[in-house]
């Protein structure tokens, strides 16, 4: 059975899209069929996987407004086992036009249900805000993967995110679990990075991944070429970090995190 994992953090710039691109690509390299859903109107995940947004005839926008099914918009990426539901700037209309629609928080959940078992993992990349789009993602997900940048303000945001998860559980998705917490942009030479790691580990215990994503220029460069790091430069530290994370997740998929 497939698993839907939302990649979310209300703070921007923590590595959500970088993680969605590179983790999904690394898992696809292991010959698992993976789907990524770009629910951010900025569409950085879409362009980062080489999809030209100006050439799209249909996108996730059409699914939200009933003009297409999820199968109609699933698009093959440059990797054989990696697929994407692309985004467009039109998605900003969802927050406005569907605000009074009955069942508006479950539109994505209902759209993904028929294709859930087709993929080993479905990752949803969220905007850095708690609006209707993020609520749809969290309502549809089995669990949430939380990227945390190794800086002081990321710690402040974790309390808000934990409160958000509790609210979503109470109102829309009682089974929403924390899949794991991923430390990103880690610099071993930086005392603050080590302090953030210690604090996050203390707060989330066994939910923190053993794999840590270090600062790496390849992770910043690759999206501008429309490629995951493993395609742009598989020997880079960033690519190797995400390959290690994929391996950790696949191993946990058979044993269960924290079991």
């Amino acid at each position: 059975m497939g698993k839907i994992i939302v990649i979310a953090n209300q703070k921007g710039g923590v590595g959500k899209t970088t993680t969605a691109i590179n983790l999904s690509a690394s898992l696809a390299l292991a010959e698992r069929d993976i789907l990524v859903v770009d629910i951010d109107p900025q569409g950085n995940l879409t362009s980062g996987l080489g999809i030209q947004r100006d050439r799209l005839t249909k996108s996730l926008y059409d699914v939200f407004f009933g003009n297409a099914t999820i199968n109609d918009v699933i698009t093959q990426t440059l990797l054989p086992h990696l697929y994407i539901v692309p985004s467009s700037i039109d998605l900003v209309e969802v927050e406005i036009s569907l605000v009074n629609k009955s069942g508006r928080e479950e539109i994505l959940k209902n759209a993904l249900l028929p294709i859930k078992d087709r993929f080993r993992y479905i990752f949803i990349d969220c905007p850095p805000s708690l609006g209707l789009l993020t609520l749809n993602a969290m309502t549809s997900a089995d669990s949430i993967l939380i990227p945390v940048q190794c800086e002081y303000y990321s710690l402040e945001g974790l309390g808000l995110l934990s409160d958000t998860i509790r609210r979503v559980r109470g109102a829309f998705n009682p089974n929403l679990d924390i899949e794991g917490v991923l430390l990103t942009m880690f610099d071993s030479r930086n005392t603050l990075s080590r302090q953030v790691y210690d604090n996050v580990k203390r707060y989330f215990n066994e939910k923190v991944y053993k794999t840590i994503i270090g600062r790496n220029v390849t992770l910043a460069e690759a999206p501008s070429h429309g490629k995951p790091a493993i395609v742009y430069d598989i020997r880079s530290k960033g690519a190797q970090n995400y390959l290690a994370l994929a391996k950790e997740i696949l191993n946990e998929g058979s044993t269960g995190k924290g079991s």
Side-chain angles (χ1 to χ4, degrees), residues 1 27 46 57 76 91 107 131 135 143 175 200 206 209 254:
M1 175 178 283
L27 288 166
T46 299
T57 56
Q76 173 81 59
L91 261 184
I107 295 173
L135 279 177
S143 57
N175 298 316
V200 171
E206 78 281 355
Y209 288 111
S254 60

Side-chain angles (χ1 to χ4, degrees), residues 105-106 129-140 164 168 172:
E105 299 90 0
E106 297 187 339
S129 61
L130 181 61
L132 184 54
L133 291 169
T134 300
L135 279 177
N136 262 267
M138 290 189 175
T139 300
S140 67
T164 295
V168 171
F172 306 111

Side-chain angles (χ1 to χ4, degrees), residues 1-7 16-17 19-39 45-46 49 51 58-60 63 69-87 108-126 137 140-143 145 249-250:
M1 175 178 283
K3 189 173 191 179
I4 301 175
I5 300 175
V6 59
I7 300 175
K16 291 188 297 295
T17 301
T19 296
I21 291 172
N22 292 291
L23 175 56
S24 63
S26 297
L27 288 166
L29 203 65
E31 298 186 348
R32 269 68 170 184
D33 283 343
I34 308 295
L35 177 68
V36 286
V37 180
D38 191 351
I39 202 170
L45 174 63
T46 299
L49 284 174
I51 306 298
K58 290 188 182 297
S59 68
L60 187 58
V63 176
T69 68
I70 205 82
N71 273 314
D72 294 331
V73 296
I74 290 175
T75 303
Q76 173 81 59
T77 71
L78 54 85
L79 291 174
H81 293 275
L82 183 58
Y83 302 83
I84 184 172
V85 173
S87 173
L108 184 61
K109 175 183 177 180
N110 294 331
L112 290 175
L113 196 58
I115 56 105
K116 183 176 180 181
D117 291 341
R118 176 180 161 189
F119 299 95
R120 179 63 185 88
Y121 291 105
I122 298 174
F123 294 100
I124 307 173
D125 184 33
C126 291
S140 67
D142 296 299
S143 57
L145 192 160
I249 286 175
L250 288 173

Side-chain angles (χ1 to χ4, degrees), residues 64 119-120 123 130 145 160 190 219 221 225 239 245-246 250 258:
F64 269 98
F119 299 95
R120 179 63 185 88
F123 294 100
L130 181 61
L145 192 160
L160 293 172
N190 189 321
L219 294 176
E221 289 178 352
H225 297 271
L245 178 63
L250 288 173

Side-chain angles (χ1 to χ4, degrees), residues 192-247:
L192 180 58
S193 284
R194 297 194 297 272
Q195 289 174 344
V196 170
Y197 173 83
D198 290 341
N199 286 329
V200 171
K201 186 71 175 177
R202 191 178 304 116
Y203 190 84
F204 287 101
N205 300 310
E206 78 281 355
K207 291 292 186 180
V208 180
Y209 288 111
K210 296 180 179 66
T211 304
I212 297 173
I213 310 301
R215 287 193 177 274
N216 180 249
V217 67
T218 298
L219 294 176
E221 289 178 352
S224 66
H225 297 271
K227 297 176 181 179
I230 62 167
V231 177
Y232 184 68
D233 183 2
I234 195 169
R235 297 168 298 177
S236 67
K237 180 180 178 182
Q240 292 300 313
N241 283 167
Y242 277 104
L243 286 168
L245 178 63
K247 183 177 180 180

